[in-house]
Every structure is written in structure tokens, then in C-alpha cells.
């Protein structure tokens, strides 16, 4: 007999949470103008009445969360009980990949459905931000497509890279903690850091950050409770909306800013990961010899030798502990939202999607950051719970792109995907996995650097013409570059055809 979703969530999640305590102008906004039309450049969206059986959507996002979560079982010591309980009642995409290993280009690709090489949004540089500001006024997002299907849309936290308030019926912005080196930046609020937090490098108070290493990693106990944390306040806003009456079906999105650095989280999550039990990853220092000079000098830790400084300070293991603590704190937040859903009248008619924008290296290939085209920076958690359809544990192991998450949700909501979105619903591929092989995920980091994941293979081609090839199935840590072996020429040729032309 199939377990009722409401019963499952209360039983599996509630107890865990308690214990873990081209140019254009946007026109129209329902609440302010009474308009039921949104115009982005030449694209006009009109809201229609939702289908009578339209499901609600709870979209749960994490920031910088790699595949170190329990249901992907990638690294020892992972503790994500709430996510694992949800995965037990969901379709798990065990090979899901971001479009870019950085927040702005990744979230843009996911939510607008356009590739970085199309938008020219590659990083957080001034040209990329200018391209984003121009594009967002001319292009609907999947949130707009769901709005047009008759939905109210609500968000707390980081969903898009910025608030994008005009796309939401209501929005609660989160002002996250900032790293020590950013505390003097204009616009930083006093609530975004505690001057008494000590630096992990010299164990002295960071204060206003003047003496914090420009490329240092900032972490340590926050001295707050989970509820006092900015993300704790954000998820509380989500729970209020899950308890409230709604006239229309809703999309309710929560975007946690954890485990994005700084890893300043409540002490109880550090306690979940005792330092003597922390396992640092195999950084594969010897495998760098089969990489190109471009990969070694311009991709790996190119902005300041973060990892070398960490090793010199003797804080690699505490940093890994802090990242895992931050992942467990994100798990707690997701558990609060899921527990609120289980108590609500919407539990049996709400699609739940969980995702992350990109991954993060913690020493692999002597790299401590995102910003690479390897597995750790690009593989992300992604699962989908659909009552009556995907409500028990299933696994889809073909590589898929996170650009297809939005179109999948639009289809489940009975909406119409706007014509500028390059993504496609995953529902046909779930029914016929060979369709996923025909559209493997493409990843881009900076201009003209691309990777593709298909079958067991990861193939990387840099702007220099240098290449890498890994069999992820037999070499999950990507220690041996097979691209120089002539026997693999046909595999490379087959994979190369999926990448944009140089």
C-alpha cells in the first residue's frame, strides 16, 4: 500500500527538523497595476485561468551545493537527513549538471533558458552584468511562464541572482552574511557580518575586514540560532505562506544562500561534523601533469592560490568541516519548509523540486572554489517529487542539464514555454531515456571553454584548443586525462559535435 504523502512528510521530516533545529522594457505587474499582461521586448505574456487540477510548486534551491549530499552519497560524513527523506519519495536525477559554475551565468541559464554563449553572460564581470540587465528586460523567465499559466508566484531568498521583484507576486529578500574581504564594500549592511567573528587564518577578530586575506576563505560558528540566521528568517516567511489560504495555485520558491561562503553557521551544525571525523578529498596533485598549461595556470585557483594559502595555514580540514556544516544547515532549512508543507492543506497537490546552481571544489585538483568544468564544480543535487507520479524513490542516471528544470515545471503546471527558452521538459526523456542521450548537458566557463557529459564521458575543450577526456564511471575523480590517447579519437569526435563551434 502506497504511503500517503502527508503521512510520509510528517513522519520522515518533522522529527528530523525538530532535532536539527536584445534590449526592451518590462511592462505590467498584477498587484500594482491590475494588469494581466507582461511584456518583455516583443514578447507578450497574458495570464489565463489555471487548470482545475493545476498543482502547486515548492521550489527549493541551495547556493554552491555540490554533490556532497546523502542521497548522492558522494563524500564521507555527509549529513542531509531531510533531503534524504525527500529523495526517498522523489525522482532523483543522479547526473544533473549546471550550465556554468558561477551564480549569475548558471541561474540565468536555468531560469531564462539561454546558454552562456548565447547571452554572453559568463561570470560576474561588468560586461556580463550589463548583458544580463539588457537581456532580462527583453526575455521572460520560467517564473513568468508559470505566472501566465494562472499562478501566483512567491519567493524568499536567492532564486535569480538578484531579487527580480517584478517577477514575483510577493518577494522576501535575504541579505546574506558576507566574507571578511567584502565588509568594506558599499551597500553592505551591519547585519551581514559580526565584527567579533574570528579569522580562521590568525584567530583574531575580522572586524571590518581590512586585514582579512583578499582571497581567504571565511568560516566559523555564527553565534546565532538557526532561526536568527538570515536564511532561517527567509524559510520562516515560506512557512507562513504555506499556512495561508491561496486563491490561485502557487509557485513558492525558497533560495537558501548556504552553503555559499562565508560558512558562518550555527554551532550545532559544526557539532554534527566532529573535526576528527572529517575526511578531506583526494586532491589529485599528481594528475595535474596531464593537463594543459591553460588549465593549470588559468583555471585552477587562478584568482589567488586559495588552496595553497589554506594548506600553509593548516586549515584545510576545518574548512571542509565548515562546508559540510553549511550543507547540513541548508538541509535543516529545507526540512523546515518541507515540514510546513506536510502540515498544510497543500501537501497532496504540491510538486517539490530541489536544486543547486553549481558545485564547489574543496581541494580536488588543488582547487578550492567553483569556476572549473570538472565534475565537482558542475554536478549538482536535483530531484523532483510529483504526487501520484514521482512519489517514491526512483533514479534517473542519464546526464541532464539544469536548464531543463524550468521547462519541466512549466509542463507540470500546464503552462506554455516561451519561444526564447532553449531548454526542454525532461518528462519525455524520463519515459524514454535515449532522448536524454540526444541532448547531453553542456557546461561553459568563460568564453569558448565548454564541456559535455554523455554516457560515462566528460569531454572538455578550452579556448586554446586543449582538451580533456575522462571516463567518469571508472575514474570518478577525473585523475587521468584520456584525450591524448589516439584510441579515443572517435569518442572525442562524437562528443565534440555537441559543443558550440570554436
Amino acid at each position: 500500500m502506497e504511503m500517503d504523502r502527508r503521512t510520509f512528510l510528517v513522519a520522515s521530516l518533522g522529527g528530523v527538523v525538530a532535532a536539527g533545529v536584445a534590449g526592451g522594457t518590462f511592462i505590467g505587474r498584477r498587484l500594482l497595476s491590475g494588469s494581466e499582461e507582461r511584456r518583455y521586448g516583443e514578447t507578450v505574456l497574458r495570464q489565463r485561468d489555471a487548470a482545475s487540477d493545476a498543482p502547486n510548486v515548492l521550489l527549493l534551491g541551495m547556493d554552491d551545493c555540490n554533490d556532497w549530499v546523502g542521497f548522492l552519497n558522494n563524500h564521507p560524513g555527509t549529513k542531509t537527513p531531510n533531503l534524504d527523506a525527500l529523495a526517498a519519495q522523489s525522482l532523483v536525477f543522479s547526473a544533473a549538471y549546471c550550465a556554468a559554475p558561477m551564480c549569475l551565468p548558471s541561474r540565468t541559464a536555468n531560469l531564462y533558458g539561454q546558454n552562456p554563449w548565447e547571452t554572453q553572460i559568463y561570470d560576474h564581470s561588468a560586461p556580463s552584468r550589463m548583458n544580463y540587465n539588457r537581456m532580462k528586460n527583453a526575455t521572460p523567465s520560467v517564473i513568468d511562464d508559470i505566472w501566465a499559466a494562472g499562478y501566483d508566484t512567491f519567493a524568499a531568498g536567492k532564486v535569480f541572482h538578484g531579487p527580480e521583484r517584478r517577477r514575483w507576486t510577493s518577494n522576501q529578500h535575504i541579505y546574506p552574511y558576507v566574507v571578511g574581504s567584502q565588509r568594506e564594500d558599499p551597500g553592505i549592511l551591519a547585519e551581514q557580518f559580526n565584527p567579533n567573528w574570528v579569522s580562521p587564518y590568525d584567530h583574531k577578530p575580522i572586524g571590518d575586514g581590512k586585514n582579512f586575506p583578499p582571497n581567504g576563505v571565511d568560516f566559523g560558528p555564527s553565534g546565532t540560532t538557526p532561526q536568527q540566521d538570515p536564511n532561517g528568517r527567509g524559510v520562516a516567511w515560506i512557512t507562513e505562506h504555506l499556512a495561508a489560504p491561496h486563491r490561485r495555485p502557487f509557485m513558492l520558491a525558497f533560495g537558501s544562500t548556504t552553503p555559499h561562503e562565508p560558512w558562518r553557521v550555527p554551532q550545532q551544525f559544526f557539532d554534527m561534523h566532529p573535526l576528527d571525523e572529517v575526511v578531506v578529498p583526494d586532491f589529485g596533485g599528481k594528475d595535474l601533469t596531464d593537463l594543459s598549461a591553460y588549465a593549470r595556470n588559468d583555471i585552477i585557483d587562478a584568482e589567488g592560490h586559495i588552496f595553497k594559502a589554506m594548506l600553509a595555514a593548516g586549515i584545510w580540514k576545518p574548512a571542509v568541516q565548515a562546508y559540510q556544516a553549511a550543507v547540513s544547515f541548508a538541509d535543516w532549512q529545507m526540512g523546515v519548509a518541507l515540514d510546513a508543507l506536510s502540515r498544510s492543506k497543500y501537501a497532496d497537490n504540491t510538486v517539490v523540486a530541489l536544486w543547486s546552481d553549481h558545485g564547489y571544489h574543496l581541494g580536488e585538483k588543488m582547487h578550492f572554489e567553483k569556476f572549473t568544468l570538472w565534475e565537482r564544480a558542475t554536478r549538482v543535487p536535483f530531484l523532483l517529487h510529483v504526487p501520484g507520479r514521482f512519489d517514491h524513490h526512483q533514479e534517473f542516471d542519464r546526464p541532464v542539464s539544469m536548464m531543463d528544470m524550468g521547462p519541466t515545471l512549466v509542463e507540470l503546471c500546464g503552462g506554455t514555454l516561451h519561444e526564447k527558452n532553449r531548454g526542454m521538459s525532461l518528462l519525455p526523456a524520463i519515459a524514454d531515456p535515449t532522448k536524454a542521450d540526444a541532448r547531453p548537458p553542456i557546461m561553459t566557463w568563460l568564453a569558448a571553454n565548454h564541456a559535455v557529459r554523455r554516457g560515462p564521458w566528460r569531454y572538455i575543450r578550452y579556448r586554446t584548443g586543449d582538451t580533456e577526456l575522462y571516463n567518469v564511471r571508472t575514474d570518478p575523480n577525473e585523475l587521468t586525462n584520456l584525450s591524448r590517447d589516439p584510441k579515443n579519437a572517435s569518442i572525442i569526435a562524437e562528443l565534440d559535435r555537441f559543443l558550440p563551434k570554436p
Side-chain angles (χ1 to χ4, degrees), residues 25-56:
T25 302
F26 171 82
I27 301 174
R29 184 178 178 189
R30 169 176 292 276
L31 283 187
L32 296 184
S33 66
S35 171
E36 295 187 6
E37 179 180 288
R38 293 183 179 183
R39 183 185 301 271
Y40 296 92
E42 297 179 354
T43 302
V44 178
L45 298 178
R46 294 181 176 87
Q47 189 176 49
R48 60 170 175 77
D49 291 336
S52 59
D53 60 349
N56 303 304

Side-chain angles (χ1 to χ4, degrees), residues 169-376:
T169 304
S170 181
N171 170 273
Q172 177 70 27
H173 187 53
I174 288 176
Y175 292 92
Y177 294 144
V178 297
V179 298
S181 59
Q182 293 180 352
R183 295 181 186 179
E184 291 186 292
D185 292 356
I188 297 301
L189 305 177
E191 66 188 68
Q192 292 185 266
F193 66 91
N194 183 333
N196 296 317
W197 285 339
V198 298
S199 166
Y201 292 86
D202 61 12
H203 305 291
K204 297 178 181 178
I206 298 174
D208 61 7
K210 291 179 180 178
N211 299 319
F212 194 78
N215 292 299
V217 178
D218 191 347
F219 60 86
S222 65
T224 65
T225 66
Q227 294 82 3
Q228 293 169 331
D229 183 272
N231 290 286
R233 298 196 299 271
V235 77
W237 189 88
I238 294 293
T239 66
E240 292 172 3
H241 279 72
L242 284 168
H246 293 272
R247 293 188 304 120
R248 312 173 194 273
F250 59 81
M251 163 175 266
L252 185 57
F254 173 58
S256 173
T257 59
T258 46
H260 193 291
E261 192 197 349
W263 305 318
R264 294 287 178 178
V265 303
Q267 179 66 50
Q268 68 192 74
F269 299 102
F270 280 88
D271 294 342
M272 290 174 64
H273 301 276
L275 191 60
D276 60 356
E277 297 179 9
V278 171
V279 177
V280 297
D282 180 357
F283 64 87
K286 294 181 180 179
D287 76 313
L288 303 184
T289 58
D290 59 7
L291 302 182
S292 65
Y294 176 74
R296 291 195 306 271
N297 300 328
D298 291 78
I299 298 297
I300 296 174
D301 214 3
E303 295 190 355
H305 305 294
I306 300 170
F307 187 53
K308 291 179 181 178
M310 184 176 293
L311 291 177
I315 59 171
W316 183 19
K317 197 170 185 179
V320 172
Q321 176 198 35
Y323 182 83
Q324 290 192 298
V327 171
S328 292
F329 181 36
D331 174 82
W332 178 88
Q333 298 161 40
M334 303 305 143
V336 171
L338 291 166
D339 190 44
L341 175 63
S342 74
R343 297 192 306 268
S344 77
K345 63 181 180 181
Y346 311 111
D348 299 317
N349 188 36
T350 297
V351 170
V352 181
L354 179 120
W355 68 296
S356 173
D357 54 357
H358 50 72
Y360 201 95
H361 283 254
L362 288 116
E364 301 91 341
K365 292 189 181 294
M366 297 191 71
H367 185 76
F368 211 97
E369 255 293 2
K370 36 219 171 185
F371 315 144
T372 82
L373 292 173
W374 293 307
E375 195 81 354
R376 195 62 61 246

Side-chain angles (χ1 to χ4, degrees), residues 137-154:
N137 288 327
T139 308
S141 69
V142 294
I143 306 302
D144 296 292
D145 291 331
I146 291 174
W147 169 85
Y151 281 65
D152 285 330
T153 59
F154 306 93

